Amino acid sequence: MSRVRVHNFAVSLDGFATGEGQSLDEPFGHAGERLHEWFFDTRVFRAMQGKTGGSAGVDDAVARTWNEGVGAEIMGRNKFGPQRGPWEDHEWTGWWGPNPPFHTPVFVLTHHPRPSIEMEGGTTFHFVDGGPEEALRQAREAAGDLDVRIGGGPSTVRQFLAADLVDHMHVAVVPIVLGRGERLWDGLEGLEERFGIESVTTPSGITHMTFTRR
């Protein structure tokens, strides 16, 4: 069976994976881009933007595994966009422009389904009114023999961890303190009993933690 994976998921020293006050202009609230600056410097990110150069160290080596062997993604509605409640703007197709970086089917968890949106480059957004198990069933069907990535945000990753549906997870601990926002680890006491955990800290100050199901 395909694996369920989390990659390049950044949290602050105090465990926040996004800041407070998400808006159209600030997808990560008051955290801004601080949780992801380490990724922006890597060669893999620059290549995704059609650029050359960037760092080629451990940060890049870890980051570039995010899309290897992935056939579908699951994300929460807050990762797809800032709207809440019934969809009022069906023109909104996500933060990423006409050609999102996923290039696979993407299943968006929401209590307000809407028609699927086919984008350039092979990304199609499907909107699922169901829990983690139902979203995973649909994503696995779409992915075939490939893996399913849980893209975030923190509440979505937390739901899949709580349901014991995650096989592999990479968390990048960023040396900043946010103080407020949405935390990843709440309610997940004893998580280390289910996973083997390895970590490495890079010159950029990022600690990459890898969780592999025992």
Side-chain angles (χ1 to χ4, degrees):
M1 183 177 292
S2 63
R3 295 186 303 160
V4 179
R5 295 158 40 189
V6 178
H7 283 276
N8 296 351
F9 198 79
V11 302
S12 63
L13 289 174
D14 48 347
F16 291 98
T18 188
E20 188 175 79
Q22 184 192 50
S23 68
L24 179 63
D25 295 326
E26 294 291 348
F28 294 95
H30 84 287
E33 297 183 344
R34 288 180 290 164
L35 285 169
H36 306 97
E37 288 174 349
W38 69 272
F39 181 52
F40 299 153
D41 288 336
T42 62
R43 286 192 177 186
V44 63
F45 178 80
R46 291 182 63 82
M48 290 166 60
Q49 308 302 305
K51 302 176 182 178
T52 59
S55 66
V58 176
D59 289 335
D60 180 69
V62 175
R64 67 174 51 253
T65 65
W66 79 285
N67 205 34
E68 295 176 356
V70 171
E73 167 149 338
I74 298 171
M75 67 172 62
R77 181 170 174 178
N78 290 6
K79 179 176 178 179
F80 179 74
Q83 299 182 54
R84 304 292 185 269
W87 296 97
E88 298 179 359
D89 181 8
H90 280 252
E91 298 300 314
W92 175 263
T93 57
W95 306 104
W96 306 276
N99 188 0
F102 311 107
H103 309 302
T104 66
V106 177
F107 296 84
V108 181
L109 296 173
T110 175
H111 295 300
H112 301 277
R114 58 183 281 189
S116 298
I117 305 171
E118 187 172 347
M119 308 291 288
E120 296 176 15
T123 299
T124 300
F125 292 108
H126 304 283
F127 300 88
V128 180
D129 182 10
E133 292 84 357
E134 173 59 20
L136 182 57
R137 183 192 67 78
Q138 294 188 31
R140 275 193 160 134
E141 184 175 319
D145 294 332
L146 298 176
D147 291 345
V148 175
R149 182 177 54 235
I150 309 301
S155 63
T156 299
V157 174
R158 197 163 57 242
Q159 286 180 59
F160 277 82
L161 287 170
D164 197 23
L165 296 174
V166 175
D167 300 304
H168 175 90
M169 179 169 66
H170 161 229
V171 174
V173 182
V174 182
I176 62 173
V177 175
L178 290 178
R180 52 198 167 95
E182 188 167 6
R183 289 171 49 84
L184 173 62
W185 304 118
D186 291 351
L188 296 174
E189 293 87 351
L191 185 68
E192 71 282 355
E193 297 173 4
R194 290 188 267 144
F195 293 91
I197 304 173
E198 297 181 359
S199 65
V200 59
T201 300
T202 68
S204 65
I206 306 301
T207 299
H208 296 281
M209 301 186 68
T210 301
F211 297 72
T212 304
R213 181 187 290 277
R214 294 185 186 278

